[in-house]
Every structure is written in C-alpha cells, then in structure tokens.
C-alpha cells in the first residue's frame, strides 16, 4: 500500500491539523485556500526548500535523508508512531509485483501456550490480523457466533478487522464502537506501512474500503498509532458489560505474528463476568484451535515443540491487534 499517493496523503493530513499560530508563525488574516499549514510554511519550519518538499510530498524524491525526515517530523509535531510511519512511507523499497499471500500457520509452541492460559481470553494473529488460533475463552469473548475450529480452515479463517467493520455482531459487542474503529484503522495503517509488499494486506484494505463507508472515511484521515495495550469495553451477549485490559505480544521470528490476551481488574465486576463466561464456555481444550500442521492434523499441545525449533525466546510487545 506504500505508493507516492500514500505519502502525500499522510503529509497533507498532518499539515491540515496545524495552524500557523500553533507553530509560531504569524498569520495576517488573509483567506487561506488550504486548511492548516501551506507547503512553503512547512518547508520553512523544516529548513528545506519549497521545491524539495513539494517533490517529497508528490512522491518524486525517494532518497530523503534521516535529517530531512526528522526535521519534517518535528515541524509537523508527529508522534513517535507517526514518525516511524513517515519513514516507512518515504522509503517503501523497490516497487514490484506483490507475491500471492501465503497461508500462515501458528507454531505448536505458541498454540500450546495460548491453550494453557486458563481464565485468560487469548488469540493468535498474523500481520494481516487473520486469526491463526484462539483458546476457548478467546473464542467465546470475541467470536462465539463463529465455529470454534474456524482458524484451522484457511478459507473460513476469521480476520479481526473484517469482523469489526463488516460483522453486525461487532456493533453489539463494542459499546465504544467509534473509539475502537479509530484504533483498528490506526493499527492497520501501521501494518500497511511496515509491510508494503504484502498482497493479502492490500487486498484486505481494498475490501474494507469498498464495503465499509466508516472504514473508508477513517482510512482517508490517515490515523497512525500503535495500540499495543489499553482497555476495551465489551457488551457480551451472555454476561453483559466488561472492561478488560489487553496486551499485544509480538512473537520473534514469526513474520509478524502475535498474541493478544485480555484480563480483568481483580475483584471487579468485570472479573466476575469473565469467570461467568469461562464457566459457560466449559473447560479449555488440550490445544488452542488454530492452523493445522503440514500433515493436515492438529498438533497436540502435549507433544508440540516450540515455534523456534526448541530455542524459544520471550515474546515482545509489538504491533497491535484490534477487534
């Protein structure tokens, strides 16, 4: 998704949110044809020529130095996430034909880990937010209306972004839907900037843009934020309201896969509701439902090896999951 137009769109949205007085420039009250800063004003603040900045915004300068990008980021008052996104857009790598998306699988070790998380809803996702596996409570919390073995079938595999914007159940599950929608698009923007060559990700964005007016409107605003932790409000059809903390852990050497887990404040009504949901769900299975092995059968949690050939390393906080 990293095209010259993406870079220009991002820079224009960031110029539009700043007024001259916000950055110490004098505004003489003349009618302005564009919202926010003009190109020449931003170029002045960043210490580059107007011609150079114009070429950059139009995608005609693919070798911007770190110093120039840092100066533009400071002038636009970008957040650290936005600054990283600017770098990704300004240096998209060599353009070429995107290869067909490959079918992702979660390693048996991480599926064993997720299955063992009693009382903790958890799911495994790839960089496109396809669900590669979940434990019983993760399934019950986020997508109980879907078949529990759906992640094991690539053709039916859930995608948290698609579920959030296209599945009517999401409107009921997330009482703060507008807030979660901004989180979702911000996360997807980061993923698109980090993986411009991924055809499956580009196809997902295209599908959501065509099918969801809300997604299309948010995407055009170019929000960028890494939502790796926080609190989500739920209104679950079985147990009612819950406020759950979430943490996203990116798995090393996995090509962008990660685990997201939810927890409730000890002693809270949300913890009681989560326990009630767990009791209604029943005992966790021996394995986290997910991708099959190459032989076409599910790998047992008792016999599965780690995802890194027996040399597992601790997970890292990383790219967020939404929905």
């Amino acid at each position: 998704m990293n095209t010259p137009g993406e870079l220009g769109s991002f820079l224009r949205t960031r110029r539009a949110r700043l007024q001259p007085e916000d950055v110490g420039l004098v505004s003489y009250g003349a009618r302005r044809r564009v919202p926010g800063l003009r190109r020449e004003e931003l170029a002045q603040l960043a210490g580059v020529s107007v011609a150079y900045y114009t070429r950059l915004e139009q995608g005609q300068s693919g070798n911007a130095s770190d110093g120039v990008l840092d100066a533009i980021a400071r002038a636009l008052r970008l957040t650290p996430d936005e600054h990283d996104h600017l770098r990704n857009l300004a240096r998209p790598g060599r353009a070429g034909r995107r290869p067909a998306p490959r079918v992702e699988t979660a390693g048996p070790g991480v599926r064993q880990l997720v299955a063992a998380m009693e009382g903790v809803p958890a799911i495994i996702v790839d960089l496109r937010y396809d669900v590669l596996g979940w434990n019983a409570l993760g399934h019950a919390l986020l997508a109980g209306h879907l078949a529990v073995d759906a992640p094991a079938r690539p053709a039916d595999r859930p995608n948290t972004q698609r579920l959030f914007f296209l599945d009517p159940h999401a409107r009921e599950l997330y009482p703060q839907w507008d807030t979660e929608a901004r989180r979702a698009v911000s996360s997807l923007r980061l993923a698109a900037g980090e993986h411009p060559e991924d055809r499956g990700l580009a196809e997902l964005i295209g599908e959501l843009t065509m099918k969801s007016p809300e997604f299309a409107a948010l995407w055009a605003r170019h929000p960028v934020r890494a939502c790796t932790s926080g609190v989500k409000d739920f209104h679950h059809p079985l147990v009612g309201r819950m406020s759950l903390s979430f943490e996203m852990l990116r798995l090393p050497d996995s090509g962008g896969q990660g685990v997201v887990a939810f927890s409730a404040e000890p002693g809270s009504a949300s913890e009681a509701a989560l326990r009630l949901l767990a009791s209604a769900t029943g005992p966790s299975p021996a394995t986290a439902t997910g991708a099959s092995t190459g032989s076409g059968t599910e790998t047992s949690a008792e016999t599965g090896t780690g995802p890194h050939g027996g040399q597992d390393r601790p997970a890292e906080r990383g790219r967020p999951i939404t929905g």
Side-chain angles (χ1 to χ4, degrees):
M1 291 298 296
N2 286 12
T3 65
E6 288 292 306
L7 175 60
S9 173
F10 176 67
L11 290 171
R12 285 191 294 273
T13 60
R14 273 28 186 197
R15 283 197 290 117
R17 71 184 185 183
L18 291 175
Q19 298 301 317
E21 53 269 26
D22 295 334
V23 293
L25 296 178
V26 177
S27 178
Y28 295 100
R31 183 178 178 182
R32 303 174 70 86
R33 292 182 299 173
V34 297
L37 295 178
R38 299 187 178 104
R39 285 176 177 168
E40 56 267 28
E41 291 169 335
L42 180 57
Q44 175 187 345
L45 290 169
V48 299
S49 71
V50 177
Y52 179 83
Y53 176 77
T54 299
R55 291 197 303 272
L56 180 66
E57 191 171 287
Q58 293 176 345
Q60 299 174 4
S61 179
N63 59 347
S65 68
D66 287 344
V68 167
L69 296 178
D70 291 347
I72 291 173
R74 287 193 297 270
L76 290 173
R77 300 186 175 181
L78 300 186
T79 67
D81 290 334
E82 292 171 333
H83 193 167
D84 290 342
H85 189 61
L86 173 63
R87 288 175 181 268
N88 288 330
L89 293 179
R91 297 168 180 168
R94 180 176 297 178
R97 184 178 179 85
R98 292 188 177 101
R102 63 187 179 91
V103 177
E104 295 278 349
T105 59
V110 69
R111 285 186 282 133
Q112 174 180 318
L113 173 66
V114 167
M117 297 170 72
E118 292 285 345
V120 177
I123 65 174
I124 310 164
V125 295
D126 64 10
L127 66 89
R128 306 178 196 101
Y129 297 95
D130 287 340
V131 178
L132 306 183
W134 47 27
N135 59 14
L137 194 51
H139 167 252
L141 174 67
L142 299 176
H145 61 294
L146 300 182
V148 69
D149 63 342
R153 303 190 304 272
D156 302 322
R157 183 171 286 168
N159 177 281
T160 62
Q161 294 275 354
R162 189 177 287 113
L163 285 172
F164 185 83
F165 285 101
L166 303 182
D167 190 323
H169 288 84
R171 300 280 184 168
E172 303 171 5
L173 184 62
Y174 298 100
Q176 304 295 329
W177 192 91
D178 290 342
T179 298
E180 295 302 326
R182 288 191 293 271
R183 276 179 172 172
V185 175
S186 296
S187 301
L188 198 57
R189 270 290 185 187
L190 276 181
E194 293 170 356
H195 304 278
E197 76 294 338
D198 192 272
R199 182 169 153 187
L201 193 57
E203 290 172 352
L204 172 65
I205 292 166
E207 177 189 356
L208 294 176
T209 301
M210 293 296 294
K211 294 181 178 180
S212 170
E214 295 94 340
F215 177 88
L218 284 169
W219 188 258
R221 298 175 195 168
H222 219 124
V224 177
R225 183 186 174 195
C227 305
T228 56
S229 63
V231 176
K232 288 181 182 286
D233 292 330
F234 295 90
H235 188 273
H236 197 275
L238 295 181
V239 298
R241 291 266 183 168
M242 291 184 287
S243 291
L244 302 179
S245 299
F246 71 92
E247 290 286 339
M248 172 66 185
L249 303 176
R250 178 174 287 180
L251 303 171
D253 305 326
S254 66
Q257 294 180 15
V259 173
V260 64
F262 297 85
S263 62
E265 185 73 22
S268 65
S270 295
E271 183 186 43
L274 193 58
R275 286 179 177 174
L276 180 61
L277 181 61
S279 65
T281 302
S284 295
T287 60
T289 301
S292 299
T293 64
S295 62
T297 59
E298 184 81 2
T299 301
S300 169
E302 271 86 40
T303 60
T305 58
H308 310 296
Q311 296 181 346
D312 294 349
R313 293 184 292 176
E316 305 168 327
R317 280 185 55 181
R319 185 179 52 78
I321 177 176
T322 57

